[in-house]
Amino acid sequence: MIGLLIVDDHPVVRDGLRGMFAGDDRFEVRGEAADGREALAVARAVGPDVVLMDLRMPGMDGVTAIRELREQGCAARVLVLTTYDTDSDVLPAIKAGATGYLLKDTPREELYRAVVAAHRGESVLSPTVAGRLIGSLRSPAQEPLSPRELEVLGLIARGCTNREAAARLFIGEATVKTHLLHAYAKLGVRDRAAAVAAAFERGLLGNA
């Protein structure tokens, strides 16, 4: 049996997924979590084979949780299951280590097959997500930074830590990290220094 961990901030979604997988003897739901931080704790406790991970959750988001799972040496495959398929969601999740990326309107049988494939280590992508990844490889992403992403980058450029930026903007530190990850993806960079440099180079920060 493939042991599953279901991570989603909506109880109704978790209940639906648990009921769906409970009806197939190939799967065993070993645990559930309402956000990324809880997912890390549950994963350590139950040792899942596959994690079904939502992305946009309060507290620790899905991308951060995927990265933390990898850094902690968790062997589980992570299959993103979300309603969002923008470049700023897809690319950071794949770069963080997700094995697959599906949308929540995926039919039941396809989701079953995706979990089995992810357990084998195969990449599983919904058609729209696959198209976005191919497009990003063919040409640099041109999606503009959001006003909030620019605010966060401006504060980072002035020397603020993530915690200081969060305090100034009255948002959570995990949210600051999420905005930075989205900015990295849009700017085609991998760290904060490169992001600030790229933003200045493109004239996005002015005299920040």
Side-chain angles (χ1 to χ4, degrees):
M1 296 178 74
I2 299 174
L4 299 176
L5 168 57
I6 299 171
V7 186
D8 197 291
D9 59 324
H10 295 290
V12 171
V13 174
R14 296 199 305 273
D15 289 346
L17 289 171
R18 182 178 64 246
M20 189 182 85
F21 283 103
D24 191 304
D25 59 12
R26 291 174 296 175
F27 309 104
E28 174 191 20
V29 177
R30 294 182 185 170
E32 300 176 23
D35 61 30
R37 193 167 303 283
E38 185 180 2
L40 298 179
V42 177
R44 285 193 295 269
V46 304
D49 300 308
V50 175
V51 179
L52 291 174
M53 180 76 74
D54 192 15
L55 288 184
R56 300 190 188 182
M57 299 177 287
M60 183 183 288
D61 63 278
V63 170
T64 304
I66 294 169
R67 186 178 301 104
E68 292 284 342
L69 285 169
R70 292 289 164 264
E71 290 178 358
Q72 291 179 8
C74 178
R77 309 290 186 180
V78 178
L79 183 58
V80 171
L81 187 61
T82 183
T83 56
Y84 305 100
D85 65 351
T86 64
D87 287 350
S88 59
D89 290 297
V90 174
L91 299 178
I94 299 299
K95 289 179 180 178
T99 299
Y101 196 115
L102 296 177
L103 302 181
K104 287 181 178 176
D105 60 359
T106 300
R108 176 186 303 224
E109 291 302 323
E110 286 186 24
L111 183 53
Y112 286 158
R113 287 194 292 271
V115 170
V116 172
H119 183 235
R120 292 196 298 256
E122 299 173 8
S123 295
V124 184
L125 302 171
S126 71
T128 57
V129 170
R132 286 191 175 278
L133 285 177
I134 291 171
S136 71
L137 291 173
R138 286 177 176 167
S139 61
Q142 296 298 319
E143 189 176 353
L145 270 66
S146 70
R148 182 63 93 183
E149 288 161 2
L150 287 172
E151 282 183 309
V152 170
L153 266 184
L155 290 171
I156 298 303
R158 291 197 290 271
C160 288
T161 63
N162 288 358
R163 180 172 297 180
E164 290 167 343
R168 293 196 186 193
L169 296 174
F170 303 101
I171 57 178
E173 191 173 348
T175 303
V176 169
K177 291 180 181 178
T178 298
H179 287 311
L180 283 174
L181 287 171
H182 290 175
Y184 295 170
K186 293 176 181 180
L187 294 169
V189 299
R190 303 185 68 174
D191 59 53
R192 53 203 288 135
V196 169
F200 273 121
E201 195 173 344
R202 298 187 191 186
L204 300 177
L205 295 181
N207 296 317

